[in-house]
Amino acid sequence: MKKKLTQFPIWIAYFFILLFCYAAISKIFDFENFQVQIAQSPLLSAYAGFVSYVVIIVELLIVLALIFTNTKRLGLYASLGIMVAFTVYIFLILNYSEFIPCSCGGILEKMGWTEHLIFNIICVLLAIAAIIILEKENETRLTHYSSIMISVIVLNIGIVSYLFFSSEQIIKKENNFTRRFMMHPILEQKSLQLSDSHYYFAGYDDKNIYLGNRKFPQTLLTIDTALTNKESMRGNLDNMKHPFRNLKLAVKAPYYYIYDGTVPVIFRSKLGNANARTISLHDAYFNQLIVLDSLRFALRTQSSETRQFVLADLNLNAGHKKLQLHPDILQKQIDGVFDIDGSFITDNIRSQLVYTYTYRNQFMVMDADMNVQRKMNTIDTVQFAKIESKRLADGNHKMNAPPLKVNLRSAVHKNLLFNQSDLMGKHESKKAWKEASIIDVYKTDKPEYAGSLYLFKKNNKSVSDFIVTDKYLYAIIDDKIIQYQFTKPIIKYFTSGEAENRSKE
């Protein structure tokens, strides 16, 4: 037994040699991807420039220390330190971060984060056991090696914690703008329980609201506007052999559409008819779609020449020239992909299109022919997208650091844009931001900020989607759809817009 205990530190040293050798080499061979992954971490993004090199160098130095007898003891202490650092890192990421990056490489990248945490804890315990046995064999005093181990553990916990809490990449900084919150602009009226939390708004008309489901993409859920009745239908596609990756659903009465821009294919059927047939196949790849009429669509696609996002018009009645690109609408700042990312939405009442940038304070209002009528700004101060991206060897773009999001999602109705913001303004309550989503309201017919309102969380869940009608705002929060009635502060903007339009006519 004594002989086996003597051999234990040696076997643990071999284990760490294999572990760190494998980890370091896998990072070196896939260094570009490793550097991008580590830069996406909220803990390390601010320090990714040198950390990506330091981690590899430290792992290789530990391997060298473990190989030689004279430095094996130092190598075991260093192994303990780095495994404590990795363990604390994963704990903080899992419990305090919005981002779940990966920076290990190789086979460990296939582990789930909980399994990875358990694996690291086991490695820490093995390192401690090996050090204790080795120090006892060398007749080192308990107080001496215990104090060294505690110092190593505390030091690495402190370093990782400092990196985490000093990182500013995902902290919502206070911006130099002030919101004006309306006095009770909405009143919660009703709610309806949904079967799960995967629903999104696919469209609406005077009588009904239509929902799609991300988990069951062929499911169309019809709910009356009073939230009293609901009816579910599964669309049957005339061709299921396509390599679907992102099936979605949209409704513009009297039709519903099921589409996948990665195929690309668009199916159509009348509401109430479960059988949907193909109306477009391989006409244009796209990642966002708006139904303009039964055979005409507004798309966001990617240029095959520049690899940048562009808006386009797909007209299935136009013969050989079905697709018309509008490359000058979206304005590139950095890479033409992430920097011009945003939400492409429509107002069914006026047939106007609105594109709201995700990473900067601008939205554009267009007519149905994609003529830009107005470019306007949201009230925050981010005029230039604060993102870092890298084009990989395969031509794809990847985020190189956590971006600063400005706008999350939008809805437009008549002359008002309702925009969910992700930035805290001046003198705003941090408690309120934890308890609610903030919706800023803008006029689309002229540059005017109307005010802001709160959409409070339910069971600590935030709004995942919302739409706006004449009288109500409908929001999906977790597995419920909630109806909020507009009060005078919002209604007056709707009515003033209608009066202005009548006077122009």
Side-chain angles (χ1 to χ4, degrees):
M1 180 63 70
K2 186 175 181 181
K3 186 177 181 180
K4 289 182 179 179
L5 286 175
T6 303
Q7 294 294 315
F8 185 78
I10 297 174
W11 289 110
I12 295 303
Y14 288 152
F15 167 74
F16 281 126
I17 288 171
L18 290 173
L19 178 65
F20 294 134
C21 251
Y22 174 76
I25 291 171
S26 65
K27 291 181 179 73
I28 291 170
F29 277 102
D30 195 17
F31 184 74
E32 181 185 49
N33 193 43
F34 165 65
Q35 197 171 45
V36 168
Q37 288 173 334
I38 206 170
Q40 291 176 334
S41 165
L43 190 156
L44 300 171
S45 55
Y47 316 98
F50 71 91
V51 167
S52 55
Y53 293 97
V54 168
V55 170
I56 296 174
I57 293 171
V58 169
E59 287 177 339
L60 292 175
L61 288 176
I62 292 174
V63 169
L64 289 175
L66 291 169
I67 289 174
F68 300 104
T69 304
N70 293 337
T71 55
K72 189 178 270 76
R73 176 175 174 268
L74 176 62
L76 287 173
Y77 276 108
S79 300
L80 171 63
I82 196 169
M83 292 312 301
V84 167
F86 290 160
T87 303
V88 175
Y89 168 80
I90 294 174
F91 175 80
L92 291 173
I93 288 293
L94 287 175
N95 290 279
Y96 297 100
S97 172
E98 298 176 27
F99 298 89
I100 306 295
C102 182
S103 59
C104 297
I107 194 169
L108 296 182
E109 201 171 50
K110 307 300 181 184
M111 286 187 182
W113 280 88
T114 302
E115 290 84 357
H116 205 157
L117 180 64
I118 294 170
F119 175 82
N120 283 7
I121 292 172
I122 292 171
C123 289
V124 169
L125 295 176
L126 290 175
I128 291 173
I131 291 170
I132 292 173
I133 293 170
L134 184 64
E135 294 288 23
K136 282 186 175 181
E137 185 183 337
N138 294 335
E139 298 181 348
T140 308
R141 285 182 303 166
L142 174 62
T143 54
H144 181 68
Y145 66 79
S146 295
S147 62
I148 296 176
M149 280 196 297
I150 292 171
S151 298
V152 168
I153 292 171
V154 171
L155 176 64
N156 282 275
I157 290 175
I159 290 173
V160 176
S161 299
Y162 171 77
L163 291 174
F164 183 80
F165 291 109
S166 65
S167 177
E168 297 182 354
Q169 295 299 320
I170 63 166
I171 296 174
K172 296 176 175 64
K173 298 179 181 178
E174 182 172 288
N175 289 269
N176 189 26
F177 66 91
T178 303
R179 282 189 171 89
R180 181 177 65 251
F181 286 92
M182 302 176 185
M183 292 294 291
H184 309 296
I186 56 175
L187 297 174
E188 183 175 336
Q189 296 293 305
K190 298 179 181 178
S191 66
L192 181 68
Q193 183 70 47
L194 302 173
S195 59
D196 57 59
S197 60
H198 300 286
Y199 284 97
Y200 61 91
F201 290 110
Y204 64 93
D205 55 32
D206 292 339
K207 296 180 179 179
N208 297 308
I209 300 166
Y210 304 97
L211 277 68
N213 190 294
R214 296 178 185 86
K215 190 175 182 180
F216 306 102
Q218 291 170 243
T219 298
L220 171 62
L221 182 64
T222 303
I223 303 174
D224 67 340
T225 54
L227 302 190
T228 55
N229 299 307
K230 59 182 178 179
E231 181 180 345
S232 182
M233 182 189 75
R234 185 182 187 275
N236 300 317
L237 308 182
D238 64 0
N239 189 342
M240 290 295 296
K241 295 182 180 180
H242 299 301
F244 299 117
R245 286 187 290 171
N246 191 27
L247 268 178
K248 290 185 178 180
L249 196 146
V251 175
K252 186 175 177 65
Y255 298 102
Y256 71 90
Y257 304 79
I258 300 175
Y259 59 90
D260 188 335
T262 66
V263 174
V265 63
I266 304 173
F267 303 91
R268 188 190 70 186
S269 182
K270 280 200 170 185
L271 290 167
N273 185 353
N275 299 315
R277 66 179 184 87
T278 303
I279 61 171
S280 172
L281 179 63
H282 299 157
D283 289 321
Y285 291 94
F286 56 89
N287 44 47
Q288 291 192 43
L289 175 143
I290 292 175
V291 181
L292 298 177
D293 61 38
S294 60
L295 292 173
R296 186 164 169 251
F297 307 88
L299 309 176
R300 192 186 73 177
T301 183
Q302 195 166 22
S303 169
S304 58
E305 297 178 359
T306 64
R307 308 299 296 172
Q308 297 177 15
F309 286 156
V310 295
L311 300 186
D313 188 313
L314 176 63
N315 189 342
L316 301 182
N317 274 329
H320 295 294
K321 295 183 179 181
K322 296 179 181 178
L323 185 69
Q324 182 180 356
L325 298 181
H326 299 273
D328 298 328
I329 296 178
L330 301 182
Q331 298 297 309
K332 172 184 174 181
Q333 289 184 334
I334 301 171
D335 59 8
V337 179
F338 295 114
D339 64 327
I340 59 177
D341 195 11
S343 57
F344 197 19
I345 57 176
T346 184
D347 175 7
N348 291 334
I349 302 298
R350 294 187 176 180
S351 297
Q352 68 175 350
L353 305 173
V354 176
Y355 191 90
T356 307
Y357 288 106
T358 300
Y359 303 109
R360 55 175 127 152
N361 64 346
Q362 189 180 79
F363 65 93
M364 293 176 292
V365 181
M366 296 163 273
D367 61 21
D369 294 320
M370 290 195 190
N371 298 308
V372 178
Q373 298 173 324
R374 283 169 291 278
K375 292 183 181 180
M376 292 179 282
N377 295 102
T378 54
I379 59 174
D380 60 84
T381 57
V382 184
Q383 297 180 355
F384 197 88
K386 295 183 180 180
I387 62 171
E388 295 178 30
S389 67
K390 177 178 286 188
R391 185 170 182 175
L392 303 180
D394 60 5
N396 290 321
H397 288 79
K398 197 168 185 180
M399 283 286 192
N400 205 28
L404 180 67
K405 283 189 177 182
V406 179
N407 308 305
L408 293 182
R409 59 183 61 85
S410 301
V412 61
H413 184 69
K414 293 186 176 177
N415 62 312
L416 291 183
L417 174 71
F418 294 73
N419 180 60
Q420 184 179 352
S421 175
D422 201 34
L423 293 180
M424 184 183 293
K426 204 171 184 180
H427 311 304
E428 290 181 15
S429 167
K430 292 182 179 180
K431 181 182 178 182
W433 269 86
K434 291 180 180 180
E435 296 176 349
S437 300
I438 308 299
I439 309 295
D440 299 323
V441 184
Y442 303 90
K443 299 197 72 172
T444 59
D445 50 0
K446 58 183 177 181
E448 182 180 335
Y449 162 62
S452 300
L453 57 92
Y454 288 115
L455 280 182
F456 286 94
K457 295 180 179 180
K458 305 291 183 183
N459 299 321
N460 207 32
K461 299 291 185 179
S462 300
V463 57
S464 60
D465 200 6
F466 66 93
I467 58 171
V468 176
T469 66
D470 278 345
K471 296 181 180 180
Y472 303 105
L473 183 151
Y474 295 90
I476 296 176
I477 302 179
D478 195 20
D479 57 355
K480 287 184 178 181
I481 179 171
I482 303 172
Q483 181 194 70
Y484 299 89
Q485 184 175 2
F486 289 126
T487 61
K488 190 175 180 180
I490 296 291
I491 293 174
K492 70 177 183 180
Y493 282 102
F494 281 144
T495 54
S496 65
E498 291 173 348
E500 288 176 11
N501 287 332
R502 285 194 295 268
S503 64
K504 290 177 183 178
E505 293 172 359

